[in-house]
Amino acid sequence: MTQEEYDKNIQTLISWAHAYYVEDNPQASDEEYDKLARTCLAYEQTYPQNSHPNSPNKRVGGMILEGFQKASHLSRMWSQEDVFNTEELIDWINRAKKVNTNLEFMCEPKFDGASLNLIYENGVLKQAITRGDGSVGEDVTNNVKTIHSIPLQIKEKSLLEIRGEVVIKKADFEKINEQRAKNNEQLFANPRNAASGSLRQLDPSITASRKLFFNVWGVGQNSLEFKRISEKMDYIYSLGFVKPPMQVVVNDVEGIEKVYHEIIASRDDIPMMLDGMVVKIDDIETQEELGYTVKFPRWSCAYKFPAVEKTTKIKDIIQQVGRTGVITPVAVVEPTHIDGSMVERASLHNYDEIERLDLRINDEVIIIKSGDIIPKITKVFHERRDGTQEKVLRPTNCPKCDSLLHDEGTLIKCQNLDCPSIVTNSIIYFASKNCMNIDGLGNKIVELLVNEKKIYDILDLYSLKYEDLQDLEGFKEKKISNLLNAIEKTKGTTLHRVINALGIEHIGEVASKQICLEFGLEVINIDLDSLIALDGIGEQMAKSFVDFMGVNKELVTKLIDIINPEVEVKQEVLENAFKGKTVVLTGTMSRSRGLIKKELEALGAKVSSSVSKKTDFLIYGEDAGSKYDKAIELGVSAITEEEMIEMI
Ligand SMILES: NC(=O)c1ccc[n+]([C@@H]2O[C@H](COP(=O)([O-])OP(=O)(O)OC[C@H]3O[C@@H](n4cnc5c(N)ncnc54)[C@H](O)[C@@H]3O)[C@@H](O)[C@H]2O)c1
Ligand SMILES: [Zn+2]
């Protein structure tokens, strides 16, 4: 590396560190950052006289976020020296052995979060300060008081600094990001940034809502007298801090390696993100003798785990069609090793997310995979674009059957009942109890019939013959005739049941009934405007229905021909006291409420389940409770069942 290159790299590191520590919005993966930092470190060691005064290799962490009060630590906070393999670990041990050949090591998980210092005075939490540059950090006391795992009072009365890591659970990290995606906010690249960003909020109620957790790992200023750090920490846990899930004292490299691999093996079972194991020399006198560099203690090191977060490149965006026809985009990425497996694909929530991330083919991205988290893209490096990037278009046709897709933003769906990806599900739905109620045609049987190529869509059910089923395993005479009879029995059912059984997105039984009453057999030809004009049919429902008929008209026409359903006609309801009124039923009546509901609906009333200003009548029986009170409060006229009968 030339001096010029070195200077340029240091500028890059400084800007990456700023984005990472101050803005909680990294512009590189840790791996890229560490690699560049190490290359610069090698240069600094060869040419110490040329090294940059502000090199991130010489200082701890970041700067203070605007809006926070600065606060000083009583004693300095440090970073950790990284070791990445056994060789580097042995190197570190050998350096320590120069002051003491008889070493014991305390090993514990390294939680990946935000470093925090708590100052206790007279047993009371006085101040909580972020690590900042190691000497001065941000005063986040009010935020920290919302974290339940931090005691506000402890029984130790001497002046004491407690250090630990504020972390967020992996599952909560995912939830926050899902919420942020919905709100069109930038995602957190990883749980560490999420923890740090949540801790450094000007509004403590936001911090409180984020479910942060505190893992204690050390002490700063203190007057506790212990010979070993492991004993000192046991005392600290006894004050009401949570003890880390694994903590072992060993006395050689083999011992350290063993714990290291044990912690890696249980990494997925621990709900918080770990990025390594910290090894500390247990004897406090030896620690004092070894002392500190400008950046870290010489008596401890962070033995890093394989990264779960990597930079990779988007090669393509392909579509996956789910069993219900929902289309999900999947990113094909340059194959990347993450934590023991080769990652080639990452899931994206939907096409709206692609637009929000402004993700393009050939973009460089951060991909994160940890334990049970499916590989996810959390960050797109827009600044790294080189002109080869291509926009991702929303699909208009199904990749499986080429029919037009129904697109309502976050949801894109193939509704073609002939589409091979959805046939099984659509037949199962069609036959289910609340739809056509075809006895003997459950999930397993439908799967069998489709897999054995006995049927390709709903229509085929009606051309099934005895001979078709004879050769199927477990199909005896009785079973076959029962099934064929059950299918036959659906003929002549009502039109709205048939429409409801098609599984049209957003169109349930009530809507089906309403549409069928209004349009009869013309349902297959309705246009958008006529549908929207119907009371209770929203735009989304109408569009879904029209899109559905657009791709399935032929099939539905044939189906109606075969089933020959009864077409219900709208009966003009005679004038009566309940026509067009909104009614709520409550309490115990002389007959079932379901029956009374039907009766009222036949009179043209709308029966609703909750009382509001729009309610015209509350009809109450015995033991009426809160609905009655509310009706009285809102001035809704409340009548008994008998009064209702009289009014009819
Ligand atoms: N992606 C980027 O752009 C970018 C930029 C800057 C830094 N970074 C990353 O940040 C890291 C360097 O940051 P750092 O200096 O904060 O170091 P670090 O986070 O790797 O390690 C030091 C910190 O570990 C924490 N810790 C957790 N468990 C501990 C334990 N049991 N004992 C002691 N300490 C424990 C402490 O808060 C301590 O301050 C590097 O891994 C680097 O990749 C990334
Ligand atoms: Zn399809």
Side-chain angles (χ1 to χ4, degrees), residues 508-631:
E509 202 184 333
V510 177
S512 302
K513 195 166 186 174
Q514 206 181 350
I515 296 171
C516 291
L517 274 180
E518 190 68 32
F519 299 98
L521 287 174
E522 275 305 296
V523 281
I524 43 178
N525 296 317
I526 335 171
D527 61 83
L528 199 63
D529 292 339
S530 329
L531 256 185
I532 296 175
L534 265 194
D535 192 29
I537 303 288
E539 211 166 305
Q540 203 173 44
M541 292 165 93
K543 180 155 190 312
S544 171
F545 193 93
V546 171
D547 281 357
F548 178 90
M549 287 304 172
V551 285
N552 292 297
K553 194 167 173 173
E554 209 185 305
L555 189 148
V556 180
T557 309
K558 284 186 191 157
L559 190 67
I560 288 177
D561 263 1
I562 296 169
I563 296 182
N564 192 19
E566 176 196 337
V567 181
E568 301 126 298
V569 280
K570 210 161 65 170
Q571 290 189 342
E572 242 345 288
V573 184
L574 297 175
E575 280 311 318
N576 69 74
F578 295 103
K579 187 176 171 186
K581 302 285 193 233
T582 304
V583 180
V584 176
L585 302 174
T586 189
T588 321
M589 315 248 176
S590 66
R591 292 167 296 156
S592 92
R593 286 217 297 263
L595 264 177
I596 300 179
K597 178 172 181 237
K598 277 208 175 127
E599 201 173 296
L600 285 164
E601 277 170 349
L603 292 169
K606 207 153 115 189
V607 181
S608 151
S609 59
S610 61
V611 177
S612 75
K613 276 192 207 140
K614 290 194 185 142
T615 312
D616 296 298
F617 293 106
L618 177 87
I619 301 169
Y620 65 96
E622 265 171 61
D623 299 325
S626 60
K627 284 184 193 171
Y628 179 83
D629 298 339
K630 187 155 184 207

Side-chain angles (χ1 to χ4, degrees), residues 13 16-21 26-34 59-61 77-80 82 84 108-116 131 164-165 190 192 215-218 275 277-278 280 295 300 302 304 309 366:
L13 281 179
W16 282 354
H18 185 86
Y20 182 86
Y21 290 117
Q27 295 304 320
S29 63
D30 287 0
E31 205 175 37
E32 289 173 301
Y33 179 89
D34 290 341
R59 47 204 302 255
V60 171
M77 291 189 79
W78 307 92
S79 181
Q80 290 287 332
D82 285 336
F84 287 94
E108 62 186 17
K110 180 173 186 293
F111 285 100
D112 204 10
S115 201
L116 183 70
R131 189 181 64 178
E165 206 75 358
N190 51 46
R192 175 184 177 144
N215 274 102
V216 58
W217 47 251
D275 68 335
M277 175 178 93
V278 180
K280 293 172 181 162
K295 190 164 177 178
S300 74
K304 286 292 181 92
E309 184 199 316
I366 285 189

Side-chain angles (χ1 to χ4, degrees), residues 313-346:
K313 202 171 196 173
I314 304 288
K315 293 202 324 199
D316 199 4
I317 301 286
I318 56 170
Q319 296 138 23
Q320 216 168 42
V321 193
R323 286 170 55 95
T324 57
V326 174
I327 311 273
T328 334
V330 176
V332 180
V333 300
E334 229 148 60
T336 309
H337 252 294
I338 305 186
D339 197 15
S341 61
M342 190 64 104
V343 173
E344 303 190 45
R345 293 186 174 195

Side-chain angles (χ1 to χ4, degrees), residues 297-429:
R298 290 200 185 85
W299 49 267
S300 74
C301 70
Y303 193 174
K304 286 292 181 92
F305 289 164
V308 291
E309 184 199 316
K310 298 248 174 146
T311 301
T312 185
K313 202 171 196 173
I314 304 288
K315 293 202 324 199
D316 199 4
I317 301 286
I318 56 170
Q319 296 138 23
Q320 216 168 42
V321 193
R323 286 170 55 95
T324 57
V326 174
I327 311 273
T328 334
V330 176
V332 180
V333 300
E334 229 148 60
T336 309
H337 252 294
I338 305 186
D339 197 15
S341 61
M342 190 64 104
V343 173
E344 303 190 45
R345 293 186 174 195
S347 70
L348 290 152
H349 291 110
N350 49 54
Y351 276 85
D352 279 5
E353 190 189 6
I354 295 182
E355 281 160 28
R356 186 179 44 75
L357 287 168
D358 184 17
L359 177 71
R360 302 186 187 175
I361 293 165
N362 268 340
D363 261 336
E364 283 191 54
V365 297
I366 285 189
I367 183 169
I368 178 165
K369 173 187 179 296
S370 150
D372 32 5
I373 300 185
I374 339 163
K376 281 212 170 77
I377 290 163
T378 54
K379 172 93 201 165
V380 181
F381 294 123
H382 297 129
E383 312 71 26
R384 299 190 190 181
R385 285 189 177 155
D386 59 6
T388 64
Q389 282 65 32
E390 289 165 42
K391 279 208 169 182
V392 179
L393 300 176
R394 294 175 85 87
T396 52
N397 294 69
C398 173
K400 286 275 156 66
C401 70
D402 202 39
S403 64
L404 268 185
L405 293 170
H406 170 63
D407 183 346
E408 53 185 54
T410 52
L411 178 86
I412 302 185
K413 195 173 168 182
C414 171
Q415 301 209 78
N416 176 11
L417 294 174
D418 270 328
C419 179
S421 359
I422 67 173
V423 280
T424 307
N425 247 35
S426 61
I427 298 171
I428 291 174
Y429 187 75

